[in-house]
Amino acid sequence: MLIEHHNRGIKIIDIRKARIRDRKMTYNWLYYSDFSDYLNDLGGISKEAIPSYEYYKKEEYMDFYFDDSQPDKGRAYIIVCKKNGKIEDIGIISYTSFHLLDKITEFDIWLKKLSLTGQGYGTKALLRLVETVRDLGYEKVIIRPSKHNKRAIKSYQKAGFIQEELEPKNYYLSEYLPKYSDGDYESGGDVFMVLKL
C-alpha cells in the first residue's frame, strides 16, 4: 500500500484482485472513456474498429485474469484510491506470463479517465504490482508502451523500468514469437522496457 500526503487529506493508492464482475467496467475504461481516444489513437484503433466486448472476453482479458484459475498465466487488479474514507476504483493493472519465458512477466495498465493521469497513480500501482509478482517468484518484468506515450514512459521510468533493445528470443516462448514480438504497435512503434526484480 502506497500512501501519498496532500493538503486536503491522505491518499492511499492500492490494488485489489479484479473479479469477473469488474471486466465490463475495465473494457469501458479502455475503449469508451475520455482517455480512450488517446489510447485508441496510439494503438491505431478507429471508433469503427473498437473490439467488441465478446472479443475482449475471449482474446484479451480472459476469465483467468479475474478468477484466480491460472495465476501462472496472468492476473488483473483494480487500482484503488482511498481518500478521506472514500474508495474509488481508478484503473486496471495486470501481469501476463503465458507467452513468456520462465520467471518473466509483462505488465499492462490504464486509468479510467484522463484527469487521473499525470498524478503518479500509475507509478504507485506499478510499484504495488511489482511487490506482488516478486512474491510470486518472477525475476523480470517487461512493459511495452507506445513510443509516443511520453507520459507513460516517464511513469514507468519512475517505477524503475529501463529501456532496452528487444531480443524477442530472450523473452518470448518460441510458439508466441510471431504473435507477440512486434508488440501492440506496428514494428518499431513501441519502447521495450525492463525491470529486474
Side-chain angles (χ1 to χ4, degrees):
M1 180 183 315
L2 296 162
I3 301 173
E4 182 178 333
H5 294 271
H6 286 272
N7 292 337
R8 294 172 298 205
I10 296 174
K11 268 187 192 168
I12 300 170
I13 304 301
D14 205 354
I15 58 175
R16 67 167 173 84
K17 287 184 175 181
R19 299 294 176 204
I20 292 286
R21 66 179 177 268
D22 297 315
R23 182 161 46 188
K24 184 68 180 274
M25 175 178 72
T26 68
Y27 169 78
N28 288 330
W29 292 345
L30 180 57
Y31 293 116
Y32 294 102
S33 74
D34 66 350
F35 194 29
S36 298
D37 288 343
Y38 176 70
L39 295 174
N40 292 339
D41 188 48
L42 289 175
I45 301 170
S46 68
K47 287 188 193 260
E48 298 75 36
I50 289 174
S52 69
Y53 181 55
E54 288 307 310
Y55 179 86
Y56 181 78
K57 284 173 28 176
K58 289 186 167 56
E59 300 294 329
E60 294 181 350
Y61 272 81
M62 295 74 84
D63 286 356
F64 67 78
Y65 284 102
F66 300 92
D67 67 8
D68 284 325
S69 61
Q70 299 176 71
D72 56 316
K73 288 188 174 184
R75 187 70 172 87
Y77 296 81
I78 300 299
I79 304 166
V80 179
C81 179
K82 301 173 184 176
K83 182 181 176 187
N84 299 330
K86 294 182 181 175
I87 299 173
E88 180 185 5
D89 294 339
I90 62 169
I92 181 173
I93 188 167
S94 64
Y95 73 86
T96 306
S97 306
F98 67 86
H99 60 312
L100 298 167
L101 297 174
D102 193 38
K103 305 291 186 188
I104 302 173
T105 192
E106 183 170 8
F107 282 4
D108 197 8
I109 181 173
W110 62 91
L111 299 176
K112 74 175 186 179
K113 57 186 176 183
L114 192 57
S115 63
L116 294 168
T117 64
Q119 299 186 48
Y121 300 153
T123 303
K124 289 174 177 58
L126 287 164
L127 292 171
R128 185 66 186 82
L129 189 55
V130 163
E131 294 171 11
T132 300
V133 299
R134 183 183 289 120
D135 290 345
L136 293 173
Y138 289 100
E139 296 173 357
K140 205 176 279 189
V141 179
I142 64 171
I143 199 162
R144 299 184 66 178
S146 164
K147 67 182 181 183
H148 302 293
N149 195 345
K150 305 296 185 194
R151 187 177 279 178
I153 293 167
K154 191 174 180 181
S155 174
Y156 305 154
Q157 288 170 333
K158 285 181 182 175
F161 285 83
I162 297 169
Q163 185 174 341
E164 287 189 4
E165 194 69 34
L166 171 62
E167 288 291 338
K169 67 180 183 351
N170 293 336
Y171 292 91
Y172 294 93
L173 293 167
S174 58
E175 63 266 35
Y176 291 107
L177 278 169
K179 184 172 182 180
Y180 291 106
S181 60
D182 282 345
D184 290 336
Y185 309 97
E186 60 186 55
S187 183
D190 68 357
V191 175
F192 183 75
M193 304 181 79
V194 179
L195 176 64
K196 294 173 183 168
L197 306 180

